Amino acid sequence: MDSRVSELFGGCCRPAGGGAGGALRGRGGAAPGGGGSKAKKKNGRSRGGKANNPPYLPPEAEDGNIEYKLKLVNPSQYRFEHLVTQMKWRLQEGRGEAVYQIGVEDNGLLVGLSEEEMRASLKTLRRMAEKVGADITVLREREVDYDSDVPRKITEVLVRKVPDNQQFLDLRVAVLGNVDSGKSTLLGVLTQGELDNGRGRARLNLFRHLHEIQSGRTSSISFEILGFNSKGEVVNYSDSRTAEEICESSSKMITFIDLAGHHKYLKTTIFGLTSYCPDFAMLVVSANTGIAGTTREHLGLAMALKVPFFIVVSKVDLCSKATVERTVKQLERILKQPGCNKLPLLVNSDDDAVTAAQQFAQSPNITPIFTLSSVSGENLDLLKVFLNILPPLTNSKEQEELMQQLTEFQVDEIYTVPEVGTVVGGTLSSGICREGENLVVGPTDDGKFLRLKVCSIQRNRSACRVLRAGQAATLALGPFDRSLLRKGMVMVSPEMNPTICSVFEAEIVLLFHATTFRKGFQVTVHVGNVRQTAIVEKIHGKDKLRTGEKAVVCFRFIKHPEYLKIGAKLLFREGVTKGIGHVTDLQAITTKENGLEESLGPGQLSF
């Protein structure tokens, strides 16, 4: 990570320097090969009189969930079966989603089809989708100029498989932004299906504590779900559905992680970003206040943890068009500065939203910007189109590789539920977890691992028998003693023989520090779901560090050992001091030295 990210945390914002070019706006600004621009020529000539080459998309990739098809008119039975097999592959690559570009050759040339050919091709595509149990939705149609007197167009189609056995596509989106920027209100409007009244009515269902309702400020992490069915229609609580009904009706689920905006709850926000492993982040900026408070800090956190983010400018109903434009320009300037090096894409139409969703997943430098209102509903549909099309970051092969590994579940939340017992919430990092499975949890304060049994599993508030790698869920542990658990523990397969440590080394970049960073300095370290105070034991090759400098540093946890992995991302802070890095070495205490806890206390389960 470039040390210039420190500008987002501590330093003042520098001007863009004019070298990054203008923001991508509308179709004309789509990146080369993105398919967002429309060829403008007449009789094979552009307006300037020079010959204009036919427009191209990037050549079709063998992997991934995007398929190019020139035409699908009356295929033979053998050809049809081959096309169905191909669709199954693309759906598998996209974990239940695929995008078909009809009227495009394999090399990316936009040829287009006549209306009759397009109608026949879509009919064939619909038959193929029915064969594999999927639905199709036309995303957009565009006319192309190809040497022909007949109007020709290409059509972009989303194919989404109807979920079986609860295997809907689940994307996690962390919601960041300054206090009072409208984060919880926006989530309330998206998930409840009703616009806000301008006084915060929409956010009331999201709050977990009385003081949050009284102050209107989020202080804890809450989760909200927004579903899309196989036809791309929104599924939320608007039809008095329960969470279980939303899950049953949805082919794709967006889980929003609502984080706190106030600076005094920063450690909760960092925990949400590091522990819950969001796929994407949504940075909400109020149009009338612009980049204020913790906005720059949250932006820096997302970049430091390499979480792809998009921006929503809210409350556009409260201010003039000039004020909204000023806020957008301010964002564009920050995004294009050297520390960020992003390419803003302002979304003004459905076509922009489709282009933004596809380019955002393919290129880490694209940053879509939405301007909307939770009160008037202006441009809210554009955000829904974007979320509906947004593809997963991992393909099916990576998912399969994770599922082949031994079970590892991060403990992020701990509850006691009447008549159920102890319940833990978190994310399955690897492997498969089944109802009734025996695992071990730890490390305890003295470095031991305790045996337990998974009694039942709930995912997105509905019962689930099998949990797969990358999925978040809550696990009921029956009568297991809650006092033996804490956030930051892991539940792993007994065969794993997990390694734990109190002392570890990390290669770090000091993003911001008022003076010098020395031996003996105490910081709060965040590594995944681990959050604990550590002391700097040694800085290799140096006596001290200043802002922007790199070094390998030896840390020691001051309370109890933790389960860490080499290569894990690390973020540390203390007051205004902040730094990032990754774990490079562990002074491991293996469980063979410690042993499994055999003296089972009351309420603990043995094999």
Side-chain angles (χ1 to χ4, degrees):
M1 172 60 66
D2 196 323
S3 61
R4 287 173 293 188
V5 175
S6 60
E7 293 169 20
L8 293 168
F9 284 94
C12 296
C13 171
R14 298 194 309 181
L24 282 169
R25 291 178 183 271
R27 299 189 200 182
S37 61
K38 187 175 173 182
K40 295 190 178 179
K41 64 174 183 174
K42 195 171 182 180
N43 299 325
R45 299 270 171 183
S46 65
R47 289 180 186 174
K50 294 180 182 177
N52 198 3
N53 292 325
Y56 275 83
L57 289 175
E60 182 186 71
E62 287 187 19
D63 297 330
N65 69 334
I66 297 176
E67 177 71 28
Y68 296 168
K69 282 283 171 267
L70 182 56
K71 63 172 90 171
L72 298 167
V73 180
N74 297 327
S76 66
Q77 186 60 34
Y78 175 78
R79 170 74 174 149
F80 181 78
E81 293 298 333
H82 174 73
L83 291 169
V84 168
T85 305
Q86 200 174 47
M87 180 177 277
K88 285 178 182 174
W89 163 254
R90 292 299 184 188
L91 286 168
Q92 185 183 345
E93 282 289 285
R95 291 166 58 187
E97 283 186 355
V99 174
Y100 271 67
Q101 304 270 10
I102 310 295
V104 182
E105 289 189 353
D106 286 350
N107 63 1
L109 178 64
L110 305 183
V111 176
L113 297 178
S114 66
E115 194 168 330
E116 189 179 335
E117 289 175 324
M118 185 60 75
R119 201 181 301 118
S121 295
L122 289 176
K123 185 179 177 182
T124 304
L125 192 65
R126 196 169 280 108
R127 279 176 53 214
M128 290 160 53
E130 286 172 3
K131 185 89 172 174
V132 299
D135 281 325
I136 70 169
T137 309
V138 174
L139 296 178
R140 56 182 172 176
E141 293 181 337
R142 287 172 292 153
E143 287 189 10
V144 292
D145 290 327
Y146 195 76
D147 298 328
S148 171
D149 296 331
V150 182
R152 303 174 75 89
K153 60 172 120 177
I154 64 167
T155 301
E156 196 167 330
V157 183
L158 175 69
V159 183
R160 182 172 286 160
K161 196 172 187 311
V162 181
D164 45 27
N165 196 23
Q166 293 181 314
Q167 289 313 299
F168 51 78
L169 178 61
D170 190 7
L171 299 181
R172 289 190 290 275
V173 178
V175 185
L176 302 169
N178 190 37
V179 66
D180 300 329
S181 61
K183 298 185 298 298
S184 299
T185 300
L186 175 59
L187 293 194
V189 170
L190 286 172
T191 58
Q192 305 297 324
E194 290 183 13
L195 294 174
D196 188 48
N197 63 351
R199 295 187 295 277
R201 180 181 64 190
R203 67 189 178 194
L204 293 178
N205 291 320
L206 278 68
F207 289 146
R208 296 174 63 182
H209 304 290
L210 178 61
H211 71 85
E212 291 182 328
I213 296 172
Q214 291 169 342
S215 68
R217 290 178 176 174
T218 303
S219 65
S220 58
I221 300 171
S222 64
F223 297 85
E224 293 302 319
I225 56 174
L226 173 68
F228 293 96
N229 64 19
S230 54
K231 295 177 181 175
E233 299 163 341
V234 171
V235 183
N236 56 21
Y237 291 106
S238 59
D239 300 326
S240 302
R241 291 185 177 95
T242 62
E244 193 167 352
E245 287 171 340
I246 291 175
C247 291
E248 286 172 359
S249 307
S250 301
S251 303
K252 180 177 187 175
M253 191 75 70
I254 306 289
T255 302
F256 291 106
I257 307 167
D258 191 18
L259 303 174
H262 200 283
H263 195 273
K264 73 176 179 179
Y265 305 124
L266 182 63
K267 71 172 186 178
T268 304
T269 300
I270 295 175
F271 182 78
L273 275 174
T274 57
S275 178
Y276 291 105
C277 309
D279 299 295
F280 304 100
M282 177 169 75
L283 182 68
V284 183
V285 179
S286 175
N288 55 350
T289 57
I291 298 173
T294 55
T295 304
R296 187 179 278 108
E297 195 158 17
H298 285 187
L299 174 61
L301 286 171
M303 290 196 61
L305 295 168
K306 295 184 180 175
V307 180
F309 63 92
F310 58 96
I311 297 175
V312 171
V313 178
S314 64
K315 302 186 183 181
V316 298
D317 57 299
L318 285 181
C319 45
S320 65
K321 191 175 179 181
T323 306
V324 176
E325 287 177 358
R326 188 171 68 242
T327 300
V328 170
K329 283 178 181 174
Q330 188 184 15
L331 283 165
E332 289 174 350
R333 192 167 59 248
I334 280 194
L335 290 170
K336 288 190 277 187
Q337 74 183 35
C340 285
N341 199 25
K342 300 285 184 183
L343 201 56
L345 171 56
L346 190 59
V347 178
N348 290 319
S349 66
D350 285 353
D351 192 65
D352 292 344
V354 174
T355 302
Q358 293 173 350
Q359 293 189 6
F360 180 55
Q362 292 168 5
S363 169
N365 291 332
I366 299 289
T367 302
I369 301 176
F370 298 82
T371 55
L372 53 80
S373 167
S374 299
V375 175
S376 68
E378 181 185 342
N379 289 342
L380 207 58
D381 286 342
L382 299 184
L383 182 59
K384 291 175 184 175
V385 168
F386 176 80
L387 293 170
N388 175 38
I389 301 165
L390 195 59
L393 290 175
T394 56
N395 59 30
S396 56
K397 187 178 178 183
E398 291 168 346
Q399 181 82 353
E400 286 291 331
E401 286 173 358
L402 278 175
M403 284 163 55
Q404 308 266 326
Q405 298 173 19
L406 291 171
T407 304
E408 181 186 320
F409 182 86
Q410 295 183 355
V411 177
D412 300 330
E413 298 279 349
I414 305 162
Y415 319 94
T416 301
V417 179
E419 299 180 14
V420 175
T422 302
V423 175
V424 295
T427 307
L428 189 68
S429 306
S430 62
I432 294 176
C433 182
R434 293 181 174 84
E435 206 174 85
E437 191 165 348
N438 294 299
L439 301 172
V440 294
V441 63
T444 59
D445 288 354
D446 54 357
K448 300 276 180 18
F449 277 75
L450 311 173
R451 304 167 192 265
L452 53 77
K453 183 178 180 181
V454 177
C455 299
S456 62
I457 302 171
Q458 279 209 342
R459 184 174 168 228
N460 282 322
R461 303 171 199 176
S462 58
C464 171
R465 289 190 175 276
V466 180
L467 190 64
R468 291 169 172 80
Q471 296 176 347
T474 51
L475 312 183
L477 308 180
F480 191 89
D481 187 357
R482 176 181 171 167
S483 65
L484 297 171
L485 298 171
R486 59 176 171 77
K487 291 181 185 180
M489 281 184 163
V490 287
M491 291 165 51
V492 296
S493 171
E495 297 93 57
M496 185 180 279
N497 189 25
T499 56
I500 57 174
C501 68
S502 289
V503 179
F504 66 96
E505 289 185 356
E507 186 178 320
I508 65 159
V509 177
L510 191 61
L511 294 177
F512 184 76
H513 188 54
T515 55
T516 54
F517 185 80
R518 299 171 178 271
K519 178 183 175 181
F521 197 75
Q522 288 192 7
V523 292
T524 303
V525 172
H526 297 260
V527 185
N529 66 332
V530 171
R531 179 177 66 189
Q532 193 185 150
T533 303
I535 191 166
V536 176
E537 293 270 283
K538 184 180 180 183
I539 301 175
H540 290 283
K542 296 183 181 180
D543 294 329
K544 58 191 177 185
L545 284 180
R546 295 186 182 277
T547 299
E549 292 184 344
K550 285 185 179 182
V552 175
V553 176
C554 181
F555 292 96
R556 177 173 54 81
F557 289 123
I558 65 170
K559 288 180 73 177
H560 42 71
E562 298 282 11
Y563 173 78
L564 298 181
K565 283 181 174 178
I566 290 176
K569 291 176 191 170
L570 171 142
L571 193 147
F572 62 87
R573 60 179 181 83
E574 181 56 47
V576 294
T577 300
K578 293 178 184 70
I580 57 170
H582 62 275
V583 177
T584 56
D585 191 30
L586 306 173
Q587 291 189 19
I589 313 165
T590 64
T591 48
K592 284 182 180 175
E593 294 171 31
N594 270 325
L596 278 175
E597 182 63 83
E598 297 295 345
S599 56
L600 300 176
Q604 289 172 243
L605 298 169
S606 60
F607 288 91

